[in-house]
Amino acid sequence: MNPILSSSQPKSVDIPQGSGAIRGGIGYTYNDVLLYDAGRISPRVTICSLPDEVLLDIFEFCLPDRWYLRAISWSKFVHVCQRWRYIIFASPLRLDLRLLCTDRTPVRKMLDIWPPLPIEIGYSPIDPQAEDNIIAALEHRNRVRRIWFGRIWTSLERLVPVMEEPFPELESLYLQGERTVLVLPNTFLGGSAPRIRLLHLEAIPFPTLPRLLLSCNDLVNLSLLKIPQNGYISPEAMATCVSALISLTNLSIDFESPASRPDTTTRHPPPLTRAVLPALTDFNFCGVSEYLEDFMAQIDAPLLHTTQIRFFNQLVSDIQQLRRFIGHAPALMLGDTASIFIHGDFVQIDFSIRDRVFLSFEILCEGVDRQVSSVAQICNQFLGSSSIRALYIHEKDDMPPSTLEDVMDEAQWLELFRPFTALQALYISRNIQSHVVSALRGLSGETAMEVLPALDRLYLEEYQVTGPEQPDIEAFIIARQRSGHPVSIYDGCYYPMYSAQNSGGTSGSSSGDE
């Protein structure tokens, strides 16, 4: 017997031949649900005949996953009929019912009408007078589960005092600052947030944050972005507080300027033992290398599998702690492919395998010569025993044409290529070919195999046999042939992304020995 029908089995009728009412076993009309079973059709059963549990399944399925959409969607169901209202309010936990309070919501009136459900607060200030609604919601701190403040351009003088008491049920806090904002005091949230799982602070100075983090035992996602100088937290204090977050999976530390750096006169040697972040899988950093080194010297993350590092315009001379930190994470591998992207004001290098990026570096600097030199410093420290088989070098659309015409020291390109001892395929985009090929031309005689000794395929975008770079290319090809390690030239426009499994020739045009 079908579970959604009544206890007594209704009589069945024959299905009309050629009827278009049945499709895939279920017939649909605008008002009714028709049930089909073994070539017979039951009398029409309206949705009101469905049991409470089935309706509850339908409600749960229809509610959106995104928190702000879910918080405004369920109220539509309770206005359909009294029965639906009863079913929904009888299962607030299963349906995760919450009240969304915004600056445009008449909060006091709404909270008087609805049951005492958990509260979620969303605020992107337009009218400062609307803060009254947000304050009204914050006053119910025992019910507040989520706080989302986007683009806070006011000074928060009215909101922060209301938030200096504990919010014992708070699970998510997102504060995005803009312009000048108030420094969060050490009494913020009463100095404790035991149930919080997501904490996102952007351009919000909070120098006493480590004290709050010591109470966040369930924290999963911590994002500290655009940390202003008046919100600076030392690497030692940062490492101490995050080491207690055993559930932390995502960590982002992003400083607003290179002025946020450790005091070199008070730096201490690395500790003998390091704290382990047992759940951390993703780590992002933006700042100076000295800060990152001091921070990395104190922690390990064995499950780490994705890391993005951004350095300000500086010489990256020593990142041995970062190299050790990455070496202690077995899942974080360099892969078999490296890609260098030259932009107008920064350069980026990604290490990947089968299009999945494991490790990414960005250095904020201008000028191709400075960018190539910065990437060379990174590669020479990370590629001691390189497994990289393919290297792609691209210039991006935001590159000023005049920049690519600058005269460069050819030795900088050779210094970049030197650690790629296992490289087999090199791809060069069109506008920087003259720089690279000119550098390769200098490899002749005994020096022909000192750089890129395993290279056997060179892919040049829009390669032309009669192009201006042809004399330099021929000099390089001849030198490699004489060394007994020939290199073939291909038109890079027709070459797909390289993988370790694709080590044969391609359909592109070629020059030189096959």
Side-chain angles (χ1 to χ4, degrees), residues 342 368 393-397 399-401 403-406 408 413 427-436 460-462 469:
I342 300 176
V368 178
I393 305 179
H394 313 260
E395 82 283 347
K396 303 304 287 185
D397 295 337
M399 281 291 297
T403 303
L404 296 173
E405 297 173 0
D406 293 345
M408 286 187 59
W413 286 105
Y427 175 98
I428 309 295
S429 60
R430 180 71 189 93
N431 293 330
I432 58 176
Q433 285 179 20
S434 59
H435 296 293
V436 176
L460 304 177
E461 185 179 21
E462 299 180 8
E469 296 88 7

Side-chain angles (χ1 to χ4, degrees), residues 323-334:
R323 187 170 65 249
R324 178 207 57 80
F325 177 77
I326 291 175
H328 287 190
L332 186 61
M333 60 187 74
L334 292 180

